[in-house]
Amino acid sequence: QVQLVESGGGLVQPGGSLRLSCAASGIFFRIYAMAWYRQAPGKQRELVAGVTFGDATYYADSVKGRFTISRDNAKNTLYLQMNSLKPEDRAVYYCNFKHGSDDYWGQGTEVTVSS
């Protein structure tokens, strides 16, 4: 059974940092490209960052230079280090991978940036 479990969200002040984790099970983690998406209240879900099985990374323009995606294949875990957080980063963050035409999602972890 495929399972993605995100953690690490919470309340942080503007300029602060958080590290999100996504623990994967039921998949051969190392062969998949993985990604983080987010969905803010009243907005569509958007891609934040991704990492290929070869560790190439890509980022949305809005988070470049502030967020870093990484993976630990030995732990079957995906990470998102978020620095210099802004109020507009507030959203529910989801871990994702694709297998063929199927998308797999975790339950999400909520990030709130507020003073």
Side-chain angles (χ1 to χ4, degrees):
Q1 181 181 357
V2 176
Q3 196 169 19
L4 300 173
V5 179
E6 299 96 334
S7 61
L11 172 64
V12 64
Q13 292 187 342
S17 298
L18 282 175
R19 188 196 197 199
L20 306 183
S21 298
C22 170
S25 59
I27 65 170
F28 192 27
F29 180 79
R30 66 180 64 243
I31 70 170
Y32 288 100
M34 302 293 298
W36 286 99
Y37 285 73
R38 68 185 179 187
Q39 187 165 17
K43 294 189 177 181
Q44 288 190 326
R45 194 169 297 190
E46 63 176 358
L47 176 67
V48 175
V51 58
T52 69
F53 72 92
D55 289 336
T57 59
Y58 49 93
Y59 298 91
D61 287 344
S62 58
V63 307
K64 279 180 183 175
R66 300 188 298 123
F67 292 9
T68 303
I69 190 171
S70 62
R71 63 191 303 161
D72 185 335
N73 291 334
K75 296 182 178 179
N76 285 5
T77 302
L78 180 72
Y79 300 102
L80 185 68
Q81 177 66 44
M82 305 187 296
N83 299 329
S84 303
L85 282 160
K86 305 175 180 180
E88 53 263 44
D89 294 317
R90 177 194 175 195
V92 178
Y93 285 71
Y94 298 91
C95 179
N96 166 272
F97 78 98
K98 304 181 193 303
H99 179 74
S101 59
D102 295 326
D103 268 295
Y104 291 84
W105 301 94
Q107 84 289 347
T109 185
E110 186 168 8
V111 172
T112 302
V113 186
S114 175
S115 54

